[in-house]
Amino acid sequence: MSNASLQDDLEIEYGPLYAAHKKVYPQKVFGTFRRIKWMLMGICLGVYYFLPFVRWNRGLGAPDQAVLIDFPNRRFYFFFIELWPQEVYYFTGLLIVASLVLFLLNSIGGRIWCGYLCPQTVWTDLFYAVERLIEGDRRERMKKDAAGWNLKRVSETALKHWIWLMIAWWTGGAWVLYFADAPTLVKQLLFFQAPVIAYIWIGILTATTYVLAGWMREQVCVYMCPWPRIQAALTDEWALNVTYRYDRGEQRTSLKKAKELRAKGEPVGDCVDCYQCVAVCPTGIDIRNGPQLECIQCGLCIDACDTVMTKIGRPNRLIGYDNDINIKRRTEGKPEIYRLVRPRTVIYCGMIAVVGAIMLYALLTRSLLDVNVLHDRNPVAVKLSDGSIRNAYTMRLLNKRGFDRVIAIDIDGPVNAVVHVVGVDSVTQDRPMIVLGRDQTTELRVLVTAPADRNTEKSVPVRFRITDIGLGETAVATDNFVAP
């Protein structure tokens, strides 16, 4: 059977396999959750766009950008924190903490990350605001689309897309500013003197922002994002989700008919079937149909419903953050129960605290002096003319401080061993002292010589101890001293 025939058979039995795209026209809404979204959008966009221009004094010769990913010098700067490539495990810890926070948010309020903080949501909200400003609210946009094209429509559409492109362009431009000194790079970009790679990445991010936030919008959340599928396995019955409280809303009827039924003493729900919850939804769903994959838990339907309930003199929160447990309890005449603190949330909080504490301890106690030693393999050891044994090592020293410092090299292990640094003059021959440049790695060739008659074993552990003469800070590396 061909693929086309199989698809036709499946569509006959189960219906269409793919839903046709329907353009969503979210309506402007006012209320508590809309204000929260505006506030969070302002904070997120403000941090993203302007953080590269924040300065932080790190001393002479160090970059003064507060947040900088310095690829040429292999550094990451975050205010007072400076991370080296060897400390990439901190990023692993941050990813673990971020994942646990996401799980915690999901266990408390469902997809509140998607509704308030997800970059796709933030930029799509911004693009919608531009669209409403230029083309009008839901009804105006629908009428204009139905009426077809005219000169005014073309000019409005052109202006809208131009502003979208400018927002997308600045989004891409802000991203590259985290990888170089922001004021300098801005000047280079304006005069077309910036590296080619900067223009390439600005172009890529401009295109993706424009397409995802301006054109694909809710389709990214519904079809591209894996989180809606994952979060369903991580939630439980106590998580608060945007919920239509059908125990209060049903039976639905118009406002006029509801008044007539109440006058007769007949039961009727508070929902007047106004469809305002559908009109404001950024994914175009009807929350009254129950939990749905498309719902991003943004709470705008709550604001829309509250506005209607206030106008008709009914209690607010016909739609609210709730769960089926409380709906059933209210139906049975029992009081509501909210369990934000429960084993799941306590475990997540505990794991976040443990991982965060480990990272903080590692950061506060990390050594700013590091040493690594690699034993020569060919030859492993050499017997000198006087009968002594010599082993050679490559020593890599790392000075993470912003100033030069003098370090001494000591060894423990072989009896009566002497250490010598090739090509480096030292004041004391038995204890080499050298200068390490600030904020850099120094590689040395180190020779360890010991008398054969005092070191008869085939292999002896050798311990290299590096000591900062001024600060007393130490670092240790171990290897083996072997006989030929």
Side-chain angles (χ1 to χ4, degrees):
M1 182 182 293
S2 66
N3 290 335
S5 300
L6 178 60
Q7 181 172 330
D8 291 340
D9 291 342
L10 289 173
E11 288 186 0
I12 292 173
E13 184 174 356
Y14 299 105
L17 299 180
Y18 305 98
H21 175 249
K22 296 180 180 179
K23 187 173 181 179
V24 180
Y25 298 87
Q27 183 173 293
K28 189 175 183 180
V29 64
F30 300 93
T32 301
F33 296 99
R34 180 64 267 186
R35 287 192 294 272
I36 293 174
K37 283 174 67 66
W38 284 129
M39 179 187 66
L40 292 176
M41 184 177 75
I43 293 173
C44 292
L45 293 177
V47 170
Y48 176 76
Y49 287 129
F50 298 108
L51 187 57
F53 297 96
V54 177
R55 303 292 98 182
W56 188 269
N57 184 16
R58 296 186 179 88
L60 184 64
D64 65 348
Q65 188 162 310
V67 180
L68 177 64
I69 303 171
D70 189 357
F71 275 137
N73 295 311
R74 296 182 296 176
R75 302 286 188 280
F76 171 72
Y77 299 97
F78 185 82
F79 293 92
F80 63 91
I81 299 173
E82 177 183 347
L83 298 181
W84 290 59
Q86 296 88 338
E87 297 170 319
V88 69
Y89 50 83
Y90 285 108
F91 295 102
T92 304
L94 283 175
L95 290 174
I96 293 173
V97 170
S99 300
L100 292 172
V101 169
L102 191 59
F103 297 162
L104 176 63
L105 292 176
N106 177 71
S107 66
I108 293 174
R111 292 174 62 186
I112 54 177
W113 160 263
C114 301
Y116 298 91
L117 295 170
C118 174
Q120 174 66 19
T121 298
V122 171
W123 265 274
T124 299
D125 259 1
L126 180 59
F127 277 43
Y128 270 135
V130 172
E131 188 173 64
R132 292 192 192 99
L133 179 65
I134 297 172
E135 297 183 347
D137 206 354
R138 172 184 167 86
R139 291 183 179 179
E140 289 83 357
R141 298 200 306 277
M142 293 176 72
K143 287 180 180 179
K144 289 175 181 178
D145 281 353
W149 293 96
N150 54 44
L151 184 59
K152 181 181 179 181
R153 177 72 171 143
V154 170
S155 61
E156 286 180 346
T157 303
L159 177 60
K160 176 185 73 174
H161 285 279
W162 172 252
I163 296 176
W164 280 0
L165 281 170
M166 289 300 97
I167 294 172
W169 171 77
W170 184 238
T171 300
W175 176 257
V176 301
L177 298 183
Y178 286 93
F179 297 85
D181 182 67
T184 303
L185 185 55
V186 168
K187 183 178 179 181
Q188 291 175 340
L189 289 169
L190 291 175
F191 291 97
F192 300 99
Q193 298 173 344
V196 175
I197 190 66
Y199 293 105
I200 292 174
W201 275 107
I202 290 175
I204 292 172
L205 292 168
T206 298
T208 53
T209 304
Y210 173 70
V211 171
L212 295 180
W215 290 92
M216 299 190 69
R217 297 179 172 179
E218 77 284 350
Q219 296 178 75
V220 175
C221 305
V222 176
Y223 299 109
M224 295 176 62
C225 180
W227 180 238
R229 286 86 180 165
I230 298 172
Q231 68 93 25
L234 297 172
T235 192
D236 62 9
E237 68 275 14
W238 290 104
L240 299 178
N241 294 285
V242 175
T243 304
Y244 167 63
R245 290 165 170 157
Y246 55 83
D247 60 309
R248 207 189 104 189
E250 301 295 331
Q251 294 289 332
R252 309 175 198 171
T253 185
S254 66
L255 179 60
K256 182 179 179 180
K257 191 172 182 180
K259 290 180 179 179
E260 295 175 355
L261 292 173
R262 287 194 180 96
K264 297 177 181 179
E266 297 182 17
V268 63
D270 285 345
C271 180
V272 296
D273 230 6
C274 62
Y275 285 93
Q276 285 301 296
C277 55
V278 180
V280 302
C281 180
T283 59
I285 65 167
D286 189 341
I287 191 63
R288 298 173 298 175
N289 293 334
Q292 295 159 74
L293 179 72
E294 296 87 349
C295 181
I296 61 172
Q297 308 286 316
C298 62
L300 296 182
C301 55
I302 302 176
D303 288 336
C305 188
D306 283 353
T307 301
V308 174
M309 291 296 106
T310 300
K311 288 180 179 179
I312 65 175
R314 305 300 297 170
N316 287 347
R317 293 299 190 268
L318 175 58
I319 301 175
Y321 279 94
D322 207 343
N323 53 46
D324 284 338
I325 292 177
N326 282 323
I327 291 177
K328 292 177 181 178
R329 290 182 65 86
R330 287 193 297 269
T331 303
E332 297 169 357
K334 298 178 181 178
E336 299 173 340
I337 297 177
Y338 294 97
R339 292 183 178 175
L340 297 181
V341 180
R342 56 187 189 277
R344 181 185 295 261
T345 57
V346 171
I347 290 173
Y348 286 148
C349 288
M351 293 173 68
I352 293 170
V354 169
V355 176
I358 292 173
M359 289 180 59
L360 182 62
Y361 175 80
L363 184 64
L364 295 177
T365 60
R366 67 175 181 155
S367 174
L368 298 180
L369 178 66
D370 195 15
V371 58
N372 286 289
V373 174
L374 180 64
H375 198 296
D376 280 7
R377 294 296 178 234
N378 189 22
V380 176
V382 175
K383 190 169 186 178
L384 304 181
S385 58
D386 62 357
S388 58
I389 303 170
R390 173 175 291 172
N391 283 200
Y393 304 85
T394 298
M395 179 180 290
R396 184 172 286 111
L397 300 166
L398 181 59
N399 178 15
K400 298 179 184 178
R401 294 195 179 272
F403 50 82
D404 297 348
R405 49 179 168 175
V406 179
I407 61 102
I409 302 176
D410 299 290
I411 61 170
D412 300 313
V415 181
N416 293 343
V418 176
V419 59
H420 173 68
V421 180
V422 178
V424 177
D425 295 330
S426 176
V427 178
T428 57
Q429 295 299 322
D430 58 336
R431 193 190 190 203
M433 296 184 184
I434 63 171
V435 177
L436 293 183
R438 65 182 181 87
D439 200 32
Q440 68 182 33
T441 299
T442 303
E443 192 170 283
L444 303 175
R445 176 81 169 166
V446 177
L447 304 177
V448 177
T449 307
D453 58 348
R454 302 296 301 274
N455 297 273
T456 57
E457 297 182 18
K458 187 64 179 178
S459 178
V460 178
V462 59
R463 182 170 178 265
F464 294 85
R465 186 174 67 258
I466 311 302
T467 306
D468 184 318
I469 299 299
L471 301 176
E473 190 175 357
T474 62
V476 175
T478 58
D479 208 298
N480 290 307
F481 182 85
V482 299

